[in-house]
Amino acid sequence: MNAIDQLIAYALRQELIDPADVIWARNRLLRCMGRSGYEGGGDVSGELPPLWEILRALTEEAVERGLCGADIVSRDLFDTALMGELTPRPGPVRRRFARLYEESPKAATDWFYALSGDVNYIRRDRIAKDRRWRTETAFGTLDISINLSKPEKDPKAAAAARQLAPVGYPRCPLCAENEGYAGRGDHPARQNHRVIPLTVAGERWYFQYSPYVYFNEHCILLSAEHRPMEITEQTFRRLLHFVEQFPHYFMGSNADLPIVGGSIQTHDHFQGGRYTFPMDQAAEERSFLVPGHPQVSAAILRWPLSVLRLRAADPEALTALAGHILNRWRAYSDPAAGILSSSNGEPHNTLTPIARRRGADYELDLALRNNRTTAEHPLGLFHPHAELHHIKRETIGLIEVMGLAVLPPRLEPELQAVERALLTGADLRSDPLTFPHAPWAEGLRRRYAFTGENVGGILQREVGLAFAQCLCHAGVFKASPEGREAFGRFVESL
């Protein structure tokens, strides 16, 4: 069976196409491959290699014949075009999702998530490369990952992308107009991408999955309107209405200010999924009630960031209290704790909210955020400090707030080099891979007797502890007597 027949057989087995579609699908693939004739036998039975191997064989042929470039960006554009020919059209996808939703919300998301992987929008072979482990800390078990699934651009491809004239369509990687888009050097191909329209709090939104799947069933809810991120009382209403419709998922939002917000601030969107994060299981440190909101229980969580947990049976009661807390926090200053609501006309305070169901109740976690910078901490006072940038320099966003570290791919070769140096006694400052980690690793060398059997585990644990410290830096009220006293002052202000 040749590679085209293998891809047809795969599509049949995953129910991407109907048996009546075989000849049509073959001819579509032949066109993509620049072939005018067919030399296969039409056999679609027998054992198949993994999808990524089939696509690699076809892409290699395309590179050899000059149909696409050899760099990773060009290869991804090409194999996505192939899968786009076999991906069910949006109309049938949306109708099937709606039919399954009538059975149960879980049945609908189970099918849609499987489809997103079957069509290679979620590249399962790359996701499998991510490194994952857990680390015990003073705040409980944290989840650590090194993200290896998002390919880094070849320098030549990146340079070529910079030379492209601005297109302005789609306006950003989240816009619904990405569905079916062929992509280009500076924008990913999305022919195999599908979105589901939803009504959320009376507005038009779209539901999709993240192609990088940082956690189980990692999904994105995006506004039909291309508008900037903004945390308002309506944000809480939207989040709670989503988890009312999909009670097996959580849904949260990145903050709406630089430094403490997500990587895409230009398009209003949320992230959710079916995953139990470390913060979900955090203990309640102190419970309280807010005057005027008797229906809602509230608590401070025992967590490195400063988080309030609200719970109620009525989502509107929850929304009202969350809106009150947001308004108070936006204007709140406590110079003794380093918190200023604004400076030079720039606002500093915002929230990272997360909604979920807890049995019959609704729950909102509100992480208090502040994006002040100082001369000592120019990247952010409540951001990982410079001594931790060798592990995590990037924003502490929604996913990290909840206790899952998404660490950069550079760490994989760097930590391997640190491991070798610790075992051989090599100078940590003489190798570009180990140099950024030298002060940290030299401290470890003084504390541990490293062997081939223990070095990997020790490094994983210490990376996890460094991430926990990153979260502590992001907490506006520290986990100290003085910090808890300051947190109490804010609670009293409510």
Side-chain angles (χ1 to χ4, degrees), residues 144-161:
I144 313 299
S145 71
I146 298 178
N147 171 33
L148 301 174
S149 57
K150 191 173 182 178
E152 297 188 75
K153 282 188 177 181
D154 175 275
K156 291 182 179 179

Side-chain angles (χ1 to χ4, degrees), residues 40 59 72 88-89 109 111 115 146 174 215 217-218 234 264 283 326 370 373 398 437 440 468 479:
T59 305
I72 186 67
R89 300 303 182 252
T109 58
W111 171 77
L115 175 70
I146 298 178
L174 290 179
F215 50 86
E217 298 183 40
H218 181 182
Q234 183 70 357
I264 299 178
L326 172 66
N370 179 287
T373 60
L398 169 69
H437 304 279
W440 172 72

Side-chain angles (χ1 to χ4, degrees), residues 279 284-288 290 296-303 305-311 318 321-322 324-326 328-329 351-354 356 363-368 401 477 484 487-488 490-494:
M279 193 176 80
E284 295 184 355
E285 189 175 279
R286 170 190 167 189
S287 60
F288 59 94
V290 177
V296 184
S297 65
I300 294 173
L301 292 190
R302 189 175 184 279
W303 193 245
L305 281 96
S306 308
V307 182
L308 296 175
R309 175 163 291 168
L310 312 181
R311 186 180 302 160
L318 208 54
L321 178 52
H324 171 66
I325 292 170
L326 172 66
R328 284 298 177 95
W329 177 243
L351 299 176
T352 299
I354 302 102
R356 67 180 72 85
E363 196 168 82
L364 266 179
D365 286 349
L366 304 178
L368 308 178
V401 164
F477 299 115
R484 289 350 238 178
F487 206 163
F490 174 68
V491 168
E492 292 302 316
S493 78
L494 298 175

Side-chain angles (χ1 to χ4, degrees), residues 53-385:
E53 287 188 11
I54 300 171
L55 292 173
R56 184 179 64 180
L58 290 169
T59 305
E60 285 296 337
E61 178 189 333
V63 171
E64 291 171 6
R65 295 173 52 213
L67 298 175
C68 85
D71 60 275
I72 186 67
V73 173
S74 299
R75 289 172 182 269
D76 282 0
L77 290 171
F78 187 82
D79 70 15
T80 303
L82 292 176
M83 290 308 300
E85 298 294 344
L86 304 172
T87 300
R89 300 303 182 252
V93 169
R94 294 175 183 187
R95 288 191 292 272
R96 185 166 182 181
F97 186 93
R99 286 196 304 272
L100 288 169
Y101 186 87
E102 292 302 313
E103 295 178 19
S104 75
K106 182 178 177 298
T109 58
D110 282 353
W111 171 77
F112 189 43
Y113 185 62
L115 175 70
S116 298
D118 289 345
V119 299
N120 211 43
Y121 168 71
I122 296 172
R123 294 177 180 261
R124 291 169 175 150
D125 60 305
R126 291 183 182 169
I127 302 300
K129 296 176 182 176
D130 288 350
R131 292 275 309 282
R132 297 180 182 276
W133 69 91
R134 290 182 169 176
T135 299
E136 293 295 327
T137 76
F139 301 96
T141 304
L142 298 182
D143 294 341
I144 313 299
S145 71
I146 298 178
N147 171 33
L148 301 174
S149 57
K150 191 173 182 178
E152 297 188 75
K153 282 188 177 181
D154 175 275
K156 291 182 179 179
R162 286 193 292 271
Q163 299 303 314
L164 295 174
V167 175
Y169 180 88
R171 292 180 69 180
C172 79
L174 290 179
C175 286
E177 288 76 16
N178 281 278
E179 187 177 43
Y181 187 65
R184 53 185 190 266
D186 62 348
H187 195 100
R190 290 291 183 253
Q191 293 100 320
N192 57 351
H193 172 48
R194 298 293 177 262
V195 298
I196 304 294
L198 297 176
T199 299
V200 179
E203 305 166 347
R204 180 81 160 185
W205 288 69
Y206 289 98
F207 174 79
Q208 66 174 66
Y209 286 100
S210 167
Y212 306 113
V213 193
Y214 294 144
F215 50 86
N216 186 50
E217 298 183 40
H218 181 182
C219 63
I220 299 172
L221 187 65
L222 57 103
S223 170
E225 179 187 354
H226 180 86
R227 64 184 182 220
M229 297 281 293
E230 184 181 14
I231 303 297
T232 66
E233 185 171 308
Q234 183 70 357
T235 302
F236 312 132
R237 189 169 287 111
R238 293 164 183 152
L239 295 174
L240 291 166
H241 188 215
F242 178 86
V243 299
E244 179 181 343
Q245 296 180 74
F246 297 90
H248 59 300
Y249 275 8
F250 80 90
M251 187 59 67
S253 176
N254 268 305
D256 56 355
L257 292 178
I259 297 175
V260 295
S263 58
I264 299 178
Q265 294 274 301
T266 56
H267 194 128
D268 201 4
H269 70 285
F270 309 137
Q271 296 182 69
R274 183 156 48 146
Y275 188 75
T276 301
F277 282 85
M279 193 176 80
D280 298 1
Q281 304 171 79
E284 295 184 355
E285 189 175 279
R286 170 190 167 189
S287 60
F288 59 94
L289 290 174
V290 177
H293 300 270
Q295 294 173 278
V296 184
S297 65
I300 294 173
L301 292 190
R302 189 175 184 279
W303 193 245
L305 281 96
S306 308
V307 182
L308 296 175
R309 175 163 291 168
L310 312 181
R311 186 180 302 160
D314 178 8
E316 270 304 312
L318 208 54
T319 297
L321 178 52
H324 171 66
I325 292 170
L326 172 66
N327 291 335
R328 284 298 177 95
W329 177 243
R330 290 280 195 197
Y332 188 78
S333 292
D334 185 344
I339 297 167
L340 300 178
S341 64
S342 64
S343 58
N344 301 317
E346 292 293 326
H348 294 315
N349 289 348
T350 185
L351 299 176
T352 299
I354 302 102
R356 67 180 72 85
R357 298 296 295 273
R358 189 81 73 169
D361 287 345
Y362 294 83
E363 196 168 82
L364 266 179
D365 286 349
L366 304 178
L368 308 178
R369 313 299 302 275
N370 179 287
N371 75 344
R372 274 191 70 201
T373 60
T374 65
E376 184 181 1
H377 302 292
L379 296 185
L381 176 60
F382 301 107
H383 175 83
H385 293 172

